[in-house]
C-alpha cells in the first residue's frame, strides 16, 4: 500500500524537516515550517536503488571545441556591460532590488529597445495590469514599441501561450514571487511555489532558446526572497542597488556563468526613466576646486575599481574630540565598520595617533558603497587629515591596502586607477611603494608611519 510521506518546509530558508517544530533548525526563524505533500513511497521503491534501469548518458571530452554563446544586445550599454555583453540565448537571469528602485523600469526600457530592433519580446506582469505597464511605457516615451504584454500568474497558462508560436527572444517575468504552479500546493510566494515555477520557466528557456529574466523581491535585509536555491538555478544574478533619495542606481552582477562578476552598470533616475551614466566618477565626486577645497580637512579621493571599471569616489572623515570620560562613537556610511576599526587600531598602535577620546564619522560621498580593500589608505588619509586639521592636496588621490603590521601593501590594477584619475585632472597619487603609472607624480610609501609623516609635514 502506497503511503504518503509528510514533510515540513521552512518558508525562510527552504530546509526540509520530517516533523513540525516551532523553530527552524537551520535559519533559527520561528513559525516558518509549513506542511507540504511529499512523494508517495511504496515498499518496492524503498527496497531498490537507482543504480540500474536508466539510460546511458553520453559523455564528452573536456577539450572538445565549444562555440561562444550568442548574445542578444539590449541597446542599453550599461546593462549589457553588467551582463557581460547582453542576454545569452537560453539563459535565465534573476534581478533583485528594493521596491521602487527601478527594476521594472529598466527591464521595460530594455524590452522596448529590443522590440524596436526587430526582436520578439514578451513581458509578463504578475503584479500590474497590462494597462499599467502600457501607461508606464508611454511615460517613458516607449509606447510605440511592439512589446507583447500580458498580465498572468499561472505558469501553465504562460507556458502554453509562449509555446503556441515562435519562441520570443526575451521573456520578462515580473515577478517570480507572484507566479503559481497548479502542480504544487500552496500560495504564490511560498518556497515550493517559487522553486517549482522558476524551474518550469527556466526549462522552457533552455529548450526553446529564449532569454528568461525573472524579477525577484528582496527581504528587509536586502537578500532575494524565497529559497536560496533560486539563485543557484539561474545563470546570472543581478542586484539593483542605490538609495531612493539619491539619483544614481548601480546594477551589479553577483553571479554570471557567461561572463565576469563584479561588473557594474551605473544609471541615473530621471523624468524619462533610467539614463546611462558614461562617467560614473562625475556622480560620486563633489565639485573640487583647488582654491575652494584647499582648507577643507578630512576629504580624500579614492579610485575604486568595480570589475574592470575605475570609479573615483570621495572619502569624507570627521573627528570630534570629546570631554574626558565620554564614550566615543564610531559611525560609518558606505564602508565596512569592522575595517574602520582595524585602520584606527593600526593608526594608534603603529603611528602613535590617538582616536580613543574622539568620535569618528566616515562617509562615502554620493551614497556609494565601497568594498575594495584598496580604500584603506584613502580612509587613513582622511582620518589623519581630520585629526591633524591638515588638508590632503586637492589634486591627489590615494589607494593602498594596510596590513596589521603597518605595512602598505600593493593592490591590483594600479595603472588603470591612475589613468582614470589623470582623465579627471588629478596630478598626484599617494600609493604603495613600487607601484608604476604614467602621467602623474607618484609618492610611494612602504609603511603607514611614513605616510602619516608625509601628510603631517614631518
Amino acid at each position: 500500500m502506497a503511503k504518503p510521506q509528510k514533510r515540513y518546509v521552512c518558508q525562510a530558508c527552504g530546509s526540509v524537516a520530517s516533523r513540525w517544530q516551532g523553530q527552524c533548525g537551520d535559519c533559527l526563524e520561528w513559525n516558518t515550517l509549513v506542511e507540504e505533500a511529499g512523494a508517495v513511497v511504496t515498499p518496492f521503491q524503498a527496497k531498490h536503488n537507482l543504480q540500474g534501469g536508466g539510460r546511458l548518458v553520453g559523455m564528452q571530452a573536456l577539450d572538445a571545441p565549444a562555440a561562444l554563446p550568442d548574445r542578444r544586445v539590449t541597446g542599453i550599454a550599461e546593462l549589457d556591460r553588467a551582463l557581460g555583453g547582453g542576454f545569452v540565448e537560453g539563459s535565465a537571469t534573476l534581478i533583485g532590488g528594493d521596491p521602487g528602485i527601478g527594476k521594472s523600469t529598466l527591464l521595460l526600457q530594455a524590452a522596448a529597445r529590443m522590440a524596436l530592433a526587430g526582436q520578439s519580446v514578451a513581458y509578463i506582469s504578475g503584479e500590474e495590469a497590462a494597462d499599467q505597464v502600457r501607461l508606464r511605457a508611454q511615460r517613458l516615451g516607449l509606447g510605440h514599441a511592439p512589446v507583447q504584454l500580458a498580465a498572468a500568474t499561472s505558469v501553465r497558462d504562460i507556458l502554453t501561450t509562449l509555446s503556441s508560436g515562435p519562441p520570443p527572444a526575451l521573456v520578462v517575468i515580473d515577478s517570480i514571487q507572484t507566479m503559481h504552479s497548479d502542480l504544487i500546493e500552496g500560495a504564490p510566494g511560498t518556497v515550493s511555489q517559487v522553486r517549482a515555477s522558476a524551474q518550469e520557466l527556466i526549462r522552457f528557456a533552455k529548450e526553446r532558446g529564449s532569454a528568461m529574466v525573472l524579477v525577484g523581491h528582496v527581504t528587509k535585509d536586502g537578500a532575494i526572497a524565497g529559497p536560496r536555491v533560486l539563485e543557484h538555478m539561474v545563470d546570472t544574478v543581478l542586484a539593483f542597488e542605490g538609495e531612493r533619495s539619491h539619483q544614481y542606481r548601480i546594477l551589479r552582477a553577483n553571479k554570471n556563468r557567461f561572463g565576469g562578476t563584479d561588473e557594474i552598470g551605473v544609471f541615473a533616475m530621471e523624468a524619462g526613466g533610467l539614463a546611462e551614466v558614461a562617467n560614473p566618477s562625475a556622480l560620486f565626486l563633489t565639485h573640487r576646486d583647488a582654491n575652494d577645497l584647499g582648507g577643507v580637512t578630512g576629504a580624500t579621493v579614492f579610485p575604486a575599481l568595480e570589475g574592470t571599471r575605475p570609479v573615483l569616489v570621495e572619502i569624507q572623515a570627521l573627528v570630534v574630540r570629546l570631554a574626558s570620560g565620554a564614550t566615543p562613537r564610531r559611525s560609518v556610511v558606505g564602508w565596512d565598520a569592522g575595517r574602520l576599526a582595524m585602520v584606527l587600531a593600526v593608526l594608534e598602535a603603529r603611528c602613535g595617533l590617538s582616536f580613543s577620546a574622539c568620535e569618528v564619522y566616515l562617509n562615502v560621498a554620493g551614497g556609494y558603497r565601497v568594498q575594495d580593500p584598496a580604500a584603506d589608505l584613502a580612509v587613513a588619509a582622511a582620518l589623519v587629515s581630520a585629526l591633524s586639521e591638515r588638508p590632503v592636496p586637492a589634486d591627489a588621490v590615494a589607494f593602498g591596502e594596510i596590513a596589521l603590521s603597518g605595512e602598505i601593501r600593493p593592490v591590483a590594477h594600479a595603472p588603470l586607477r591612475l589613468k582614470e584619475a589623470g582623465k579627471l585632472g588629478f596630478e598626484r597619487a599617494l600609493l604603495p611603494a613600487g607601484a608604476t603609472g604614467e602621467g602623474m607624480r607618484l609618492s610611494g610609501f612602504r609603511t603607514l608611519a611614513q605616510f602619516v609623516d608625509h601628510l603631517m609635514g614631518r
Side-chain angles (χ1 to χ4, degrees):
M1 186 71 180
K3 181 179 180 181
Q5 183 181 19
K6 292 184 178 180
R7 64 176 185 175
Y8 299 86
V9 180
C10 177
Q11 303 300 300
C13 66
S15 63
V16 180
S18 59
R19 61 184 180 86
W20 186 90
Q21 53 191 7
Q23 187 183 31
C24 176
D26 293 334
C27 65
L28 304 181
E29 293 289 336
W30 289 91
N31 300 323
T32 57
L33 293 181
V34 177
E35 180 181 353
E36 290 186 359
V40 177
V41 179
T42 63
F44 180 82
Q45 293 173 334
K47 294 180 180 179
H48 294 75
N49 56 33
L50 300 177
Q51 297 183 6
R55 63 180 180 87
L56 297 178
V57 179
M59 306 294 288
Q60 298 182 5
L62 180 62
D63 57 353
L68 295 176
D70 295 332
R71 293 187 179 270
R72 291 165 177 165
V73 180
T74 64
I76 303 177
E78 294 297 311
L79 176 58
D80 292 335
R81 180 188 184 93
L83 290 169
F87 291 110
V88 177
E89 296 182 3
S91 66
T93 302
L94 177 65
I95 177 172
D98 295 335
I101 201 68
K103 302 183 298 296
S104 301
T105 300
L106 177 63
L107 292 177
L108 184 58
Q109 290 181 242
R113 293 200 182 188
M114 293 182 64
L116 291 173
Q119 304 185 60
S120 60
V121 178
Y123 192 102
I124 312 298
S125 176
E127 300 176 347
E128 299 176 287
D131 290 340
Q132 291 179 278
V133 180
R134 191 177 295 109
L135 289 174
R136 182 190 293 119
Q138 293 176 0
R139 291 196 305 269
L140 299 176
L142 303 172
H144 60 287
V147 178
Q148 303 176 16
L149 297 179
T153 58
S154 174
V155 176
R156 183 182 296 274
D157 296 343
I158 293 172
L159 295 182
T160 301
T161 304
L162 296 177
S163 302
S164 61
L170 176 67
V171 180
V172 178
I173 303 296
D174 188 8
S175 63
I176 187 60
Q177 276 78 15
T178 61
M179 296 296 109
H180 177 269
S181 173
D182 55 12
L183 299 178
I184 301 295
E185 296 182 359
T190 58
V191 170
S192 57
Q193 282 291 349
V194 170
R195 182 172 56 240
S197 300
Q199 184 177 5
E200 293 299 326
L201 292 169
I202 294 174
R203 179 184 301 173
F204 172 84
K206 301 293 184 182
E207 293 176 353
R208 303 300 296 273
S210 299
M212 184 72 62
V213 180
L214 308 177
V215 179
H217 295 170
V218 296
T219 62
K220 62 181 180 179
D221 298 328
I224 297 178
R228 193 70 175 181
V229 70
L230 180 61
E231 300 182 36
H232 294 279
M233 294 168 61
V234 299
D235 301 308
T236 306
V237 178
L238 301 178
F240 215 20
E241 303 175 354
E243 301 292 338
R244 298 185 63 179
S245 57
H246 292 89
Q247 183 186 15
Y248 81 94
R249 304 287 189 270
I250 293 180
L251 186 64
R252 190 186 305 272
N254 294 332
K255 171 188 175 182
N256 195 347
R257 290 174 177 167
F258 302 104
T261 57
D262 292 332
E263 287 288 356
I264 65 169
V266 184
F267 301 87
M269 181 63 74
E270 299 179 355
L274 289 169
E276 303 176 56
V277 178
N279 185 13
S281 300
L283 283 178
F284 310 119
L285 280 182
T286 57
H287 177 68
R288 301 181 65 85
D289 191 326
N291 297 326
D292 297 337
L293 296 181
V296 176
T297 61
T300 310
V301 176
F302 164 61
L305 198 65
E306 295 287 351
T308 59
R309 162 177 285 181
V311 180
L312 267 65
V313 296
E314 186 173 289
I315 307 293
Q316 301 172 349
L318 178 63
V319 176
V320 181
R321 291 179 173 83
L322 299 178
S324 178
T327 302
R329 181 182 179 185
R330 306 287 188 261
S331 179
V332 186
V333 177
W335 205 49
D336 185 17
R339 205 157 186 89
L340 173 62
M342 184 201 73
V343 173
L344 290 174
V346 175
L347 285 172
E348 187 158 352
R350 308 299 182 185
C351 304
L353 300 180
S354 178
F355 292 89
S356 59
C358 302
E359 288 188 342
V360 177
Y361 300 89
L362 187 71
N363 175 51
V364 180
Y368 190 80
R369 293 184 179 91
V370 176
Q371 300 176 351
D372 193 345
D376 291 351
L377 198 62
V379 170
L383 293 172
V384 173
S385 173
L387 181 66
S388 62
E389 298 184 356
R390 296 176 63 93
V392 179
D395 60 344
V397 297
F399 62 90
E401 184 179 356
I402 298 176
L404 293 179
S405 61
E407 177 190 4
I408 300 179
R409 306 183 62 182
V411 296
H413 305 291
L416 190 60
R417 301 174 193 264
L418 296 174
K419 183 178 179 180
E420 179 69 14
K423 288 181 181 179
L424 296 179
F426 292 89
E427 301 176 356
R428 303 170 57 185
L430 310 176
L431 70 174
T436 59
E438 298 180 358
M440 299 186 68
R441 291 181 295 163
L442 307 182
S443 299
F445 305 93
R446 296 190 179 277
T447 64
L448 188 59
Q450 297 176 0
F451 179 71
V452 171
D453 292 341
H454 174 78
L455 291 180
M456 302 185 69
R458 296 174 182 173

